[in-house]
Coordinates of all heavy atoms in Angstrom, one line a residue:
P1 N 114.2 91.1 113.0 CA 115.0 92.1 113.7 C 116.2 92.6 112.9 O 116.8 91.9 112.1 CB 115.5 91.2 114.9 CG 115.6 89.8 114.3 CD 114.5 89.7 113.3
Y2 N 116.6 93.9 113.3 CA 117.8 94.5 112.7 C 118.6 95.1 113.8 O 118.2 95.2 114.9 CB 117.3 95.6 111.6 CG 116.7 95.0 110.4 CD1 115.4 94.7 110.4 CD2 117.5 94.7 109.3 CE1 114.8 94.1 109.3 CE2 116.9 94.1 108.1 CZ 115.5 93.8 108.1 OH 115.0 93.3 107.0
K3 N 119.8 95.6 113.4 CA 120.7 96.1 114.4 C 120.5 97.6 114.5 O 121.4 98.4 114.2 CB 122.2 95.8 114.0 CG 122.5 94.3 114.1 CD 124.0 94.1 113.8 CE 124.3 92.6 113.9 NZ 125.7 92.3 113.6
G4 N 119.4 98.0 115.0 CA 119.1 99.4 115.2 C 117.9 100.0 114.4 O 117.5 99.3 113.5
G5 N 117.4 101.1 114.9 CA 116.3 101.7 114.2 C 116.6 102.2 112.8 O 115.7 102.1 111.9
G6 N 117.8 102.6 112.6 CA 118.2 103.0 111.2 C 118.1 101.9 110.2 O 117.5 102.0 109.2
P7 N 118.8 100.8 110.5 CA 118.7 99.6 109.6 C 117.3 99.1 109.5 O 116.9 98.6 108.4 CB 119.6 98.6 110.3 CG 120.6 99.4 111.0 CD 119.9 100.6 111.5
A8 N 116.5 99.1 110.5 CA 115.1 98.7 110.4 C 114.3 99.6 109.5 O 113.5 99.1 108.7 CB 114.5 98.7 111.8
A9 N 114.6 100.9 109.5 CA 114.0 101.8 108.6 C 114.4 101.5 107.1 O 113.6 101.6 106.2 CB 114.3 103.2 108.9
I10 N 115.7 101.3 106.9 CA 116.2 101.0 105.6 C 115.5 99.7 105.0 O 115.2 99.6 103.8 CB 117.7 100.8 105.6 CG1 118.4 102.1 105.9 CG2 118.2 100.2 104.3 CD1 119.9 102.0 106.2
A11 N 115.2 98.7 105.9 CA 114.6 97.5 105.5 C 113.2 97.8 104.9 O 112.8 97.2 103.9 CB 114.5 96.5 106.6
I12 N 112.4 98.7 105.6 CA 111.1 99.0 105.1 C 111.2 99.9 103.9 O 110.3 99.7 102.9 CB 110.2 99.6 106.2 CG1 108.8 99.7 105.7 CG2 110.7 100.9 106.7 CD1 107.8 100.1 106.9
L13 N 112.1 100.8 103.8 CA 112.3 101.6 102.6 C 112.6 100.8 101.4 O 112.2 101.1 100.3 CB 113.4 102.7 102.9 CG 113.1 103.7 103.9 CD1 114.3 104.5 104.2 CD2 112.0 104.7 103.4
S14 N 113.4 99.7 101.6 CA 113.8 98.9 100.4 C 112.7 97.9 100.1 O 112.8 97.2 99.0 CB 115.1 98.2 100.7 OG 114.9 97.2 101.8
G15 N 111.7 97.7 100.9 CA 110.7 96.8 100.6 C 110.9 95.4 101.2 O 110.2 94.4 100.9
E16 N 112.0 95.2 102.0 CA 112.3 93.9 102.6 C 111.2 93.5 103.6 O 110.8 92.4 103.7 CB 113.6 93.9 103.4 CG 114.8 94.0 102.5 CD 116.1 94.0 103.3 OE1 116.1 93.6 104.5 OE2 117.2 94.4 102.8
V17 N 110.6 94.5 104.2 CA 109.5 94.3 105.1 C 108.4 95.4 104.8 O 108.7 96.3 104.0 CB 109.9 94.5 106.6 CG1 110.9 93.5 107.0 CG2 110.4 95.9 106.9
S18 N 107.2 95.2 105.3 CA 106.2 96.2 105.0 C 105.8 97.1 106.1 O 105.0 98.0 105.9 CB 104.9 95.3 104.6 OG 105.2 94.5 103.5
L19 N 106.2 96.8 107.3 CA 105.7 97.5 108.5 C 106.8 97.7 109.5 O 107.7 96.9 109.6 CB 104.6 96.7 109.0 CG 103.9 97.1 110.4 CD1 103.1 98.4 110.3 CD2 103.0 96.0 110.9
M20 N 106.7 98.8 110.3 CA 107.6 99.0 111.4 C 107.0 99.9 112.4 O 106.2 100.8 112.1 CB 109.0 99.5 111.0 CG 109.1 101.0 110.7 SD 110.8 101.6 110.4 CE 111.5 101.4 112.0
L21 N 107.4 99.7 113.7 CA 107.0 100.6 114.7 C 108.3 101.4 115.0 O 109.2 100.9 115.6 CB 106.6 99.9 116.0 CG 105.9 100.7 117.1 CD1 104.6 101.4 116.6 CD2 105.7 99.9 118.3
G22 N 108.4 102.6 114.5 CA 109.6 103.4 114.5 C 109.4 104.7 115.3 O 108.3 105.3 115.3
S23 N 110.5 105.1 116.0 CA 110.4 106.4 116.7 C 110.3 107.5 115.7 O 110.7 107.4 114.5 CB 111.7 106.6 117.5 OG 112.8 106.7 116.6
L24 N 109.6 108.6 116.1 CA 109.4 109.7 115.2 C 110.6 110.3 114.5 O 110.6 110.6 113.3 CB 108.5 110.8 115.8 CG 107.1 110.4 116.3 CD1 106.4 111.7 116.7 CD2 106.4 109.7 115.1
P25 N 111.7 110.4 115.3 CA 112.9 110.9 114.6 C 113.4 110.0 113.5 O 114.1 110.4 112.6 CB 114.0 111.0 115.8 CG 113.2 111.1 117.0 CD 111.9 110.3 116.7
T26 N 113.1 108.7 113.6 CA 113.5 107.7 112.6 C 112.6 107.8 111.3 O 113.1 107.8 110.2 CB 113.5 106.3 113.1 OG1 114.4 106.2 114.2 CG2 113.9 105.3 112.1
V27 N 111.3 107.9 111.5 CA 110.3 107.8 110.4 C 109.8 109.1 109.8 O 109.5 109.1 108.6 CB 109.1 106.9 110.8 CG1 109.6 105.5 111.3 CG2 108.3 107.6 112.0
I28 N 109.8 110.2 110.6 CA 109.3 111.4 110.0 C 110.0 111.9 108.8 O 109.3 112.2 107.8 CB 109.3 112.5 111.1 CG1 108.0 112.3 112.0 CG2 109.2 113.9 110.5 CD1 107.9 113.4 113.1
P29 N 111.3 111.9 108.7 CA 112.0 112.3 107.5 C 111.6 111.5 106.2 O 111.4 112.1 105.2 CB 113.5 112.1 107.8 CG 113.6 112.2 109.3 CD 112.3 111.5 109.8
H30 N 111.4 110.2 106.4 CA 111.0 109.4 105.3 C 109.5 109.6 104.9 O 109.1 109.5 103.8 CB 111.3 107.9 105.6 CG 112.7 107.7 105.9 ND1 113.7 108.0 105.0 CD2 113.3 107.2 107.0 CE1 114.9 107.6 105.6 NE2 114.6 107.2 106.8
A31 N 108.7 109.8 105.9 CA 107.3 110.1 105.7 C 107.1 111.4 105.0 O 106.2 111.6 104.1 CB 106.5 110.1 107.0
N32 N 107.9 112.4 105.3 CA 107.9 113.7 104.6 C 108.2 113.6 103.1 O 107.7 114.5 102.3 CB 108.8 114.7 105.3 CG 108.3 115.1 106.7 OD1 107.2 115.0 107.0 ND2 109.2 115.6 107.5
T33 N 109.0 112.7 102.7 CA 109.3 112.5 101.3 C 108.4 111.5 100.6 O 108.6 111.2 99.4 CB 110.8 112.0 101.2 OG1 111.0 110.8 101.8 CG2 111.7 113.1 101.8
G34 N 107.5 110.9 101.4 CA 106.5 110.0 100.7 C 107.0 108.6 100.6 O 106.4 107.7 100.0
K35 N 108.2 108.3 101.2 CA 108.8 107.0 101.1 C 108.2 106.0 102.2 O 108.3 104.8 102.0 CB 110.3 107.0 101.3 CG 111.0 107.8 100.2 CD 112.5 107.8 100.4 CE 113.2 108.6 99.3 NZ 114.6 108.7 99.5
L36 N 107.5 106.6 103.2 CA 106.8 105.8 104.2 C 105.4 106.4 104.4 O 105.3 107.6 104.2 CB 107.5 105.7 105.5 CG 108.8 105.0 105.6 CD1 109.4 105.0 107.0 CD2 108.6 103.5 105.2
R37 N 104.5 105.6 104.8 CA 103.1 106.2 105.2 C 102.9 105.9 106.7 O 103.0 104.8 107.1 CB 102.1 105.5 104.3 CG 100.6 106.0 104.7 CD 99.6 105.2 104.0 NE 99.8 105.1 102.5 CZ 99.8 104.0 101.8 NH1 99.6 102.8 102.4 NH2 100.0 104.0 100.5
L38 N 102.6 106.9 107.4 CA 102.3 106.8 108.8 C 100.8 106.6 109.0 O 100.0 107.5 108.5 CB 102.8 108.0 109.6 CG 104.3 108.4 109.4 CD1 104.7 109.5 110.3 CD2 105.2 107.2 109.7
I39 N 100.4 105.6 109.7 CA 99.0 105.4 109.9 C 98.5 105.6 111.3 O 97.3 105.8 111.5 CB 98.6 103.9 109.5 CG1 99.2 102.9 110.4 CG2 98.9 103.7 108.0 CD1 98.7 101.5 110.1
A40 N 99.4 105.7 112.3 CA 99.0 106.0 113.6 C 100.3 106.1 114.5 O 101.3 105.6 114.1 CB 98.1 104.9 114.2
T41 N 100.1 106.8 115.6 CA 101.2 106.8 116.6 C 100.8 105.8 117.7 O 99.6 105.4 117.8 CB 101.4 108.2 117.2 OG1 100.2 108.6 117.9 CG2 101.7 109.2 116.2
A42 N 101.8 105.4 118.5 CA 101.6 104.4 119.5 C 101.5 105.1 120.9 O 101.7 104.4 121.9 CB 102.6 103.3 119.5
S43 N 101.4 106.4 120.9 CA 101.3 107.1 122.2 C 99.9 107.1 122.8 O 99.0 106.7 122.2 CB 101.7 108.6 121.9 OG 101.0 109.1 120.8
E44 N 99.9 107.5 124.1 CA 98.6 107.5 124.8 C 97.7 108.5 124.2 O 96.5 108.3 124.1 CB 98.8 107.7 126.3 CG 97.6 107.6 127.1 CD 97.8 107.7 128.6 OE1 99.0 107.9 129.0 OE2 96.9 107.5 129.4

């Protein structure tokens, strides 16, 4: 656990963790730069 979606994203960007379920506003900017890979959405 981290204190918010931002710190949780920083953790995966730095390699502290390998995976996160993040809101699109949190992860899309990093996916666009290739720093994260999106494999699926959790929507219906």
